[in-house]
Amino acid sequence: MQNDTRTTRQIWGVVVGVAAGAIIGWLDISATEVQGPLLLVMLASFALGMSGLIAPWLGGLVVGVAMAGAHVVAWAIGAGAASGIGSIVAIVPAIAAAYGGRLMGIFVERAADSLPYGRLSPERLADEQNLPWYAERGASRALLATILCGSAIIGLPVVYHAVIVAGQPIAWFVTVIWQILTLVGWIVLTPVVVAHREGKAEALSADSVATTAAQVVGLAMVHAIALVVLTRVLLIPPGDQEIFARIMHVFAAYVPLDMLTFVLLWTLAYVSNADRHLREAGRESAAKAASLSAELNAGKLSALRAQLRPHFLFNAINTAVVLSSKGDSVAASSVLRSLADLLRYVLDDAAETVKLEDELGFIQEYLNVERARFPDRLTFAIDADATARNARIPHLLLQPLVENAVRHGIAGKISAGKVQISARVDGDTLRMIVEDDGVGIGPKTKTDSGLGIANTRSRLSLMHGKNGKLEILERPGGGTMCRLLVPYVT
């Protein structure tokens, strides 16, 4: 796939190079001087090298050969002289310009990598969600190149007018040279502009705007002086104005252009940097919230267990004491053995969840203790299929509901009563029912009144959120039904 993409890019590079060289060669047929066509050849090669579509040597060669080829075609059809074929020598400066363009392309890539998102590794970028489109490496480089080259192109008519006013005899040539040098300068300065916003996420202030504006004005003055001096060094005719007047004309032309380029680059850096800060702050906030939530949940769960255990243990121990005081040693011994198993289960902190099979075993031992206390008044039944028994539920989830059924349902009833526990799996939901045929429920029992119900609701909320429910219902035929709904997890 990558090889196919690389081949396609190279084909496009060759096509663009041939087209550019042929157009320049055709224009050169009617040209009266050599500087213009040569500059265009170098400019086309520079742009091709900067794009990175093909190797610089191949880009310069294609443009130069295509230019000479246009002269050959013109000579063959009688539209040009044979001497124009000598333009083949333009291949050498074309290749040099292509390598210069590739160097500038590398600078653009480095400048794009200096953007806040450019410094992220590809792995880190892949982990980010909903990144802005300019955060992608290819997009950020293309956007940066568009800003830099676009600013240079926009400035062509402005600079050309300033050069004309200065009396420059070859104004267009000088204009193109100045804009190429300006483009190179801004490419080199881009990392500095980006660093201007490094580590900053706060809003702009009047002082910072004024300071930055003064810096850009100073940069424009240095820019104007450098261009005028370089023009003299290259032995280009200076025009009619004195050097100071020329500098001021160039300065006036480049102040708005440099300001525009700086604002565009700075805005890109500011937006990407601010977005990065917001994302990092969001990640830190989410991490802190998750940590606090985990600590809070753990603390609440510990508090609930601390409330639950003494309440249950008191009743269990009291049952054993009552049986012992009646002189029923066999029943007392059975209760004490059951109580030992109950204590072992209640005090087990190894896991927050247990298998329903283990929870039902614990409930059976608990009801055995309670039945020893009320042998003629309490019976119970446990019905759960194998799939349900394999589910994991919060530790000690059923005990307070079963205890309520015994204490508030059966104990308040004159005749004998029965407690039933059942469990079934319905799709992704585990349904558990604790019901009794006791005295029934009062108007407040359907809510969170009572320690057992309140604890169970709180634990379901902590463990399962909205997916955990406890419903308190009137049982058909009398009594109370507690229906628990939790996600089926094994």
PDB file of all heavy atoms in Angstrom, residues 71 75 80-87:
ATOM      1  N   HIS A  71      11.623  24.009 -26.541  1.00  0.00           N
ATOM      2  CA  HIS A  71      12.380  24.695 -27.587  1.00  0.00           C
ATOM      3  C   HIS A  71      12.594  23.779 -28.787  1.00  0.00           C
ATOM      4  O   HIS A  71      12.568  24.238 -29.947  1.00  0.00           O
ATOM      5  CB  HIS A  71      13.726  25.174 -27.033  1.00  0.00           C
ATOM      6  CG  HIS A  71      13.628  26.449 -26.250  1.00  0.00           C
ATOM      7  ND1 HIS A  71      13.524  27.683 -26.843  1.00  0.00           N
ATOM      8  CD2 HIS A  71      13.617  26.667 -24.904  1.00  0.00           C
ATOM      9  CE1 HIS A  71      13.460  28.612 -25.904  1.00  0.00           C
ATOM     10  NE2 HIS A  71      13.516  28.024 -24.713  1.00  0.00           N
ATOM     11  N   TRP A  75      11.373  24.667 -32.501  1.00  0.00           N
ATOM     12  CA  TRP A  75      12.322  24.705 -33.635  1.00  0.00           C
ATOM     13  C   TRP A  75      11.851  23.782 -34.744  1.00  0.00           C
ATOM     14  O   TRP A  75      11.941  24.100 -35.929  1.00  0.00           O
ATOM     15  CB  TRP A  75      13.705  24.315 -33.127  1.00  0.00           C
ATOM     16  CG  TRP A  75      14.689  24.108 -34.242  1.00  0.00           C
ATOM     17  CD1 TRP A  75      15.270  25.059 -35.019  1.00  0.00           C
ATOM     18  CD2 TRP A  75      15.179  22.844 -34.697  1.00  0.00           C
ATOM     19  NE1 TRP A  75      16.107  24.484 -35.943  1.00  0.00           N
ATOM     20  CE2 TRP A  75      16.075  23.112 -35.755  1.00  0.00           C
ATOM     21  CE3 TRP A  75      14.973  21.534 -34.302  1.00  0.00           C
ATOM     22  CZ2 TRP A  75      16.741  22.091 -36.431  1.00  0.00           C
ATOM     23  CZ3 TRP A  75      15.635  20.529 -34.974  1.00  0.00           C
ATOM     24  CH2 TRP A  75      16.505  20.810 -36.023  1.00  0.00           C
ATOM     25  N   GLY A  80      10.512  28.660 -33.482  1.00  0.00           N
ATOM     26  CA  GLY A  80      11.606  29.152 -32.666  1.00  0.00           C
ATOM     27  C   GLY A  80      12.938  28.866 -33.310  1.00  0.00           C
ATOM     28  O   GLY A  80      13.030  28.095 -34.283  1.00  0.00           O
ATOM     29  N   ALA A  81      13.989  29.471 -32.746  1.00  0.00           N
ATOM     30  CA  ALA A  81      15.341  29.289 -33.288  1.00  0.00           C
ATOM     31  C   ALA A  81      16.029  28.122 -32.610  1.00  0.00           C
ATOM     32  O   ALA A  81      15.719  27.757 -31.481  1.00  0.00           O
ATOM     33  CB  ALA A  81      16.145  30.575 -33.076  1.00  0.00           C
ATOM     34  N   ALA A  82      17.011  27.547 -33.312  1.00  0.00           N
ATOM     35  CA  ALA A  82      17.752  26.412 -32.770  1.00  0.00           C
ATOM     36  C   ALA A  82      18.571  26.798 -31.559  1.00  0.00           C
ATOM     37  O   ALA A  82      18.881  25.957 -30.712  1.00  0.00           O
ATOM     38  CB  ALA A  82      18.651  25.822 -33.851  1.00  0.00           C
ATOM     39  N   SER A  83      18.933  28.088 -31.449  1.00  0.00           N
ATOM     40  CA  SER A  83      19.750  28.523 -30.306  1.00  0.00           C
ATOM     41  C   SER A  83      19.029  28.338 -28.982  1.00  0.00           C
ATOM     42  O   SER A  83      19.661  28.205 -27.922  1.00  0.00           O
ATOM     43  CB  SER A  83      20.148  29.993 -30.490  1.00  0.00           C
ATOM     44  OG  SER A  83      18.974  30.811 -30.580  1.00  0.00           O
ATOM     45  N   GLY A  84      17.689  28.307 -29.024  1.00  0.00           N
ATOM     46  CA  GLY A  84      16.935  28.149 -27.777  1.00  0.00           C
ATOM     47  C   GLY A  84      17.145  26.808 -27.130  1.00  0.00           C
ATOM     48  O   GLY A  84      16.895  26.645 -25.926  1.00  0.00           O
ATOM     49  N   ILE A  85      17.602  25.824 -27.930  1.00  0.00           N
ATOM     50  CA  ILE A  85      17.837  24.497 -27.365  1.00  0.00           C
ATOM     51  C   ILE A  85      18.945  24.543 -26.316  1.00  0.00           C
ATOM     52  O   ILE A  85      19.031  23.704 -25.421  1.00  0.00           O
ATOM     53  CB  ILE A  85      18.178  23.494 -28.490  1.00  0.00           C
ATOM     54  CG1 ILE A  85      17.023  23.446 -29.502  1.00  0.00           C
ATOM     55  CG2 ILE A  85      18.440  22.120 -27.942  1.00  0.00           C
ATOM     56  CD1 ILE A  85      17.309  22.581 -30.714  1.00  0.00           C
ATOM     57  N   GLY A  86      19.770  25.567 -26.366  1.00  0.00           N
ATOM     58  CA  GLY A  86      20.839  25.710 -25.376  1.00  0.00           C
ATOM     59  C   GLY A  86      20.325  25.946 -23.967  1.00  0.00           C
ATOM     60  O   GLY A  86      21.107  25.909 -22.999  1.00  0.00           O
ATOM     61  N   SER A  87      19.013  26.165 -23.846  1.00  0.00           N
ATOM     62  CA  SER A  87      18.453  26.342 -22.498  1.00  0.00           C
ATOM     63  C   SER A  87      18.591  25.087 -21.647  1.00  0.00           C
ATOM     64  O   SER A  87      18.260  25.089 -20.467  1.00  0.00           O
ATOM     65  CB  SER A  87      16.977  26.739 -22.592  1.00  0.00           C
ATOM     66  OG  SER A  87      16.222  25.695 -23.216  1.00  0.00           O
TER      67      SER A  87
END
